[in-house]
Amino acid sequence: MAKDYKKLAKEIVKNVGGESNVNSLVHCATRLRFKLKDKSKANKDVIENLDGVVTVVESGGQYQVVIGNAVADVYQAIGEVSNIKLDASNEEDNDGDKKAGFLSVAIDTISSIFAPMLSVLCGAGVLKGILMICTTAGWLTETSGTYIILYAAADSVFNFLPMILAFTAAKKFKANQFVAVTVAGALIYPTIATTISSGTNISFLGIPVVLMSYTSTVIPIILAVYVLAKLEKFLNKVLPEAVKTFITPTVCLAIITPLTFLVIGPIGTYLGQFLGTLYSTIYNFNPIIAGLIIGAFWQVFVIFGIHWGFVPVAINNIAMYGRDTMLAILGPSNLAQAGASLGVFLKTKDPKVKTIAGSAAVTGLFGITEPSIYGVTLKYKKPFIISCISGAIAGAIVAFSGASAGGIVILGLLTIPAFMGKGFTLFVIACAIAYFLSAIGTYLFGYSDDMLNNKESVKAANNTTDDLEVVSPLNGELVKLSEVSDKAFASEALGKGIAVIPSEGKLYSPVDGTIAVAFPTGHALGLTTEIGAEILIHIGFDTVSLDGKYFDVKVKAGEEVKKGDLLVEFDIDKIKAEGFDITTPILITNSDSFNTIKIAEVNSVKVGEQIIFLMK
């Protein structure tokens, strides 16, 4: 690999709290999606500053590290440098879900089931679009062997969709994947399909069966696998170890398959039809308004991770109608993000901004918008607003045209063929409008290097030098960092600094700055200063396990503080009684950014006395 992905992987694993803090890990097109046992152990600031990381997003019950195009390489590297099981989840994951809200659980469940299969769905959609171009241009006929074979490759993923969903749903719900796929196979078994097409009435143990086609369906098999997981878990608890290997799958197949045909399947099918009808009703009521809303807010949905909730609707639409208009409407918003990044790229003279914006502008053309969103448009705000407005205008045009997607695809230059059909010409025009309107609008109104210069002016006004005096936040005894009991701190791997053994349970701000991180457990705080110093104060060792007991945090993240402001109160005696070392390190976590770091001599110290001096 051209880049050292293993080094990046090690840093990410370390700063999400170590592999022992990871319940599960999957990835999508641009993000590593962690399920963590304790999010307070993750160091968001450190991860975001790693070379190769775009940003960190906490959404849908997941700790998402946005990488960009190299996400698959980093994902594989994590598997090589750690014992984290890729694509696996542990029992603790369920406990985390119980603590999370319903929306977080729902989004996490949907993304876990659909994310692994999106690449093949996109590939199949693009192949269908190419075949449509070939038949329209007269290069192929629908009766030719070439077309028949390639169409079978493109359509099989949709025809046998229940079997693919059974596999991913079983992984999420912790059911036997082979039993789940077998149940799905029964739903689309040739004899069943023949019986349905002939209109023959059948019954199971005298109970009439409502026969309906489950080819390309989404909801019935997911519900069936969920019930399968519950039954399987019960059987594995009550059956003797010697027979559960073959008795459990036997009982599951004998119960879940007929139960799906009798109850689960019809309920799931009617629910899917309801979702499809609901979307069609909204769309048909006023397509232009629907296009404006979806086009304007789609990238906002992406930021919060709730865009996953729309994936089943799109798949369901394709299963019911053969095409989906929603994917066409939201598609131009991707190009609007790319256009905004292009506008910043053309306008800025700052080398760093130009590099980031240029890269984001290119990846956005291929449907990967996270680098644009987190690296450029959200950062400067106005470009994001302009891109949303451009996406809204283009979305309204697409909705008016009636354009639709023939498969589940993320719009980019390579996937445009998937939108061939009704309204295609106007769809392409709308995509161009989204891209160029966003680029021009951003260039003219959305960005200026003054945004950077203003920040530097503020810094210059408040700081005549690049020196910083860090004072003691505690009363107590100074201890060399190398002498503390925790090796991570003693080795200075987290940064240079000093430690205090406090004599009083009050922690004050050692600098004028901003609270970057305020852990709700109260055991640690991060501050940043105007000259860019990043300071970490960690009250005691392993005190995070107290889960906030004996700590009273007085500030919150984002709050401006002055030197000497009270930040945390804590009960030293009770913390010690629990068996914890109360020694408190004060670290400069970005020590490499300073040419000079002077540490005070070991001695008793009072709040407000200098303990560290920094110079750039």
Side-chain angles (χ1 to χ4, degrees):
M1 291 181 287
K3 293 188 68 174
D4 189 356
Y5 294 116
K6 287 187 178 180
K7 180 180 179 181
L8 177 59
K10 288 178 182 177
E11 290 297 316
I12 290 173
V13 171
K14 180 175 74 173
N15 286 289
V16 295
E19 57 189 72
S20 62
N21 193 40
V22 178
N23 272 333
S24 66
L25 169 63
V26 296
H27 80 86
C28 59
T30 58
R31 310 181 188 198
L32 298 170
R33 296 174 176 270
F34 289 93
K35 289 295 295 293
L36 301 181
K37 296 175 184 177
D38 184 354
K39 289 183 182 178
S40 68
K41 292 182 179 180
N43 196 330
K44 182 178 180 180
D45 288 341
V46 171
I47 296 174
E48 286 186 325
N49 286 320
L50 292 174
D51 183 22
V53 173
V54 177
T55 190
V56 174
V57 179
E58 294 181 55
S59 178
Q62 297 176 333
Y63 194 85
Q64 303 171 11
V65 181
V66 183
I67 301 294
N69 294 337
V71 65
D73 294 314
V74 179
Y75 177 74
Q76 291 299 327
I78 288 176
E80 295 173 14
V81 303
S82 72
N83 293 316
I84 296 173
K85 293 182 179 179
L86 303 185
D87 278 328
S89 56
N90 301 319
E91 289 298 327
E92 293 87 351
D93 189 35
N94 287 337
D95 297 334
D97 285 348
K98 290 175 185 175
K99 296 174 184 176
F102 173 78
L103 181 60
S104 293
V105 174
I107 295 299
D108 172 62
T109 300
I110 292 170
S111 64
S112 297
I113 292 173
F114 288 97
M117 60 184 291
L118 278 185
S119 60
V120 69
L121 284 172
C122 287
V126 172
L127 184 54
K128 274 191 172 184
I130 293 173
L131 289 174
M132 186 175 292
I133 292 175
C134 290
T135 54
T136 302
W139 301 331
L140 287 176
T141 64
E142 294 184 3
T143 57
S144 68
T146 302
Y147 177 89
I148 291 171
I149 291 173
L150 290 178
Y151 190 83
D155 198 50
S156 64
V157 66
F158 300 103
N159 192 70
F160 299 104
L161 188 60
M163 298 183 74
I164 300 175
L165 286 171
F167 187 82
T168 57
K171 182 174 286 188
K172 174 61 183 175
F173 298 137
K174 301 179 180 65
N176 185 306
Q177 290 171 290
F178 300 101
V179 174
V181 170
T182 302
V183 171
L187 294 179
I188 55 178
Y189 191 67
T191 303
I192 297 293
T194 302
T195 304
I196 293 171
S197 61
S198 66
T200 305
N201 294 322
I202 62 172
S203 63
F204 179 81
L205 299 179
I207 304 172
V209 177
V210 180
L211 284 178
M212 50 184 64
S213 176
Y214 293 103
T215 300
S216 303
T217 55
V218 175
I219 299 177
I221 190 60
I222 294 176
L223 295 178
V225 174
Y226 177 79
V227 177
L228 167 66
K230 299 297 183 184
L231 176 61
E232 194 176 80
K233 186 176 181 180
F234 169 76
L235 292 174
N236 284 333
K237 280 184 179 180
V238 300
L239 289 175
E241 196 69 36
V243 300
K244 68 171 61 175
T245 302
F246 58 90
I247 293 297
T248 296
T250 301
V251 175
C252 285
L253 286 173
I255 293 178
I256 297 299
T257 304
L259 185 63
T260 302
F261 278 109
L262 291 168
V263 181
I264 299 173
I267 290 175
T269 300
Y270 293 138
L271 180 57
Q273 291 173 352
F274 170 75
L275 291 175
T277 303
L278 179 63
Y279 170 77
S280 296
T281 301
I282 295 172
Y283 176 81
N284 292 330
F285 175 74
N286 194 311
I288 295 177
I289 292 177
L292 278 169
I293 294 172
I294 295 174
F297 291 101
W298 182 254
Q299 298 302 330
V300 178
F301 297 156
V302 171
I303 292 170
F304 291 101
I306 60 176
H307 62 300
W308 285 106
F310 295 88
V311 173
V313 177
I315 294 177
N316 188 70
N317 286 343
I318 291 175
M320 289 181 63
Y321 311 118
R323 300 186 70 82
D324 174 63
T325 55
M326 183 173 65
L327 290 171
I329 291 171
L330 63 89
S333 69
N334 292 344
L335 297 180
Q337 287 292 326
S341 294
L342 177 65
V344 173
F345 171 78
L346 295 174
K347 187 72 174 287
T348 186
K349 294 181 180 179
D350 184 279
K352 185 177 181 180
V353 175
K354 188 174 283 288
T355 298
I356 295 172
S359 175
V362 173
T363 57
L365 288 173
F366 296 92
I368 308 301
T369 59
E370 278 88 346
S372 287
I373 294 173
Y374 299 113
V376 183
T377 59
L378 263 186
K379 188 174 183 179
Y380 303 112
K381 296 181 178 62
K382 284 184 179 179
F384 186 79
I385 295 171
I386 290 171
S387 67
C388 288
I389 294 171
S390 302
I393 294 171
I397 294 171
V398 172
F400 173 77
S401 75
S404 60
I408 304 299
V409 292
I410 300 170
L411 177 64
L413 293 181
L414 299 179
T415 60
I416 286 179
F419 298 88
M420 281 284 293
K422 178 184 176 182
F424 180 70
T425 301
L426 207 51
F427 171 78
V428 173
I429 293 172
C431 289
I433 289 173
Y435 183 73
F436 289 108
L437 181 61
S438 186
I440 295 169
T442 298
Y443 184 88
L444 295 176
F445 312 110
Y447 177 81
S448 168
D449 280 341
D450 289 342
M451 296 176 179
L452 306 176
N453 295 333
N454 286 341
K455 291 181 181 179
E456 296 300 320
S457 298
V458 171
K459 174 181 170 181
N462 294 323
N463 298 279
T464 56
T465 70
D466 281 337
D467 300 345
L468 179 66
E469 179 186 78
V470 180
V471 302
S472 178
L474 298 157
N475 293 319
E477 293 289 327
L478 288 177
V479 179
K480 289 182 179 179
L481 203 59
S482 59
E483 296 177 359
V484 302
S485 59
D486 189 288
K487 293 181 179 179
F489 290 102
S491 67
E492 296 188 342
L494 300 175
K496 295 181 180 180
I498 198 165
V500 178
I501 302 174
S503 58
E504 181 185 18
K506 291 184 177 181
L507 175 75
Y508 299 89
S509 179
V511 292
D512 294 343
T514 304
I515 301 297
V517 180
F519 289 94
T521 52
H523 75 289
L525 285 169
L527 300 97
T528 57
T529 71
E530 287 293 342
I531 71 165
E534 298 172 1
I535 301 169
L536 173 66
I537 306 173
H538 200 286
I539 304 173
F541 300 126
D542 299 321
T543 46
V544 64
S545 60
L546 289 171
D547 198 26
K549 191 164 58 171
Y550 313 133
F551 290 90
D552 181 12
V553 184
K554 304 294 186 181
V555 292
K556 58 185 179 181
E559 189 173 331
E560 300 286 336
V561 294
K562 295 292 184 181
K563 188 183 297 183
D565 287 352
L566 181 62
L567 306 181
V568 182
E569 287 187 323
F570 53 99
D571 194 318
I572 293 178
D573 295 332
K574 289 183 180 179
I575 294 172
K576 285 182 177 179
E578 295 269 7
F580 292 94
D581 183 347
I582 200 64
T583 303
T584 301
I586 299 99
L587 307 178
I588 309 302
T589 57
N590 60 336
S591 299
D592 292 341
S593 300
F594 297 90
N595 293 321
T596 301
I597 299 180
K598 293 182 179 180
I599 309 295
E601 296 296 324
V602 176
N603 207 334
S604 60
V605 69
K606 292 183 179 179
V607 171
E609 294 180 353
Q610 179 181 310
I611 55 173
I612 303 173
F613 178 76
L614 304 173
M615 181 182 294
K616 281 193 171 182

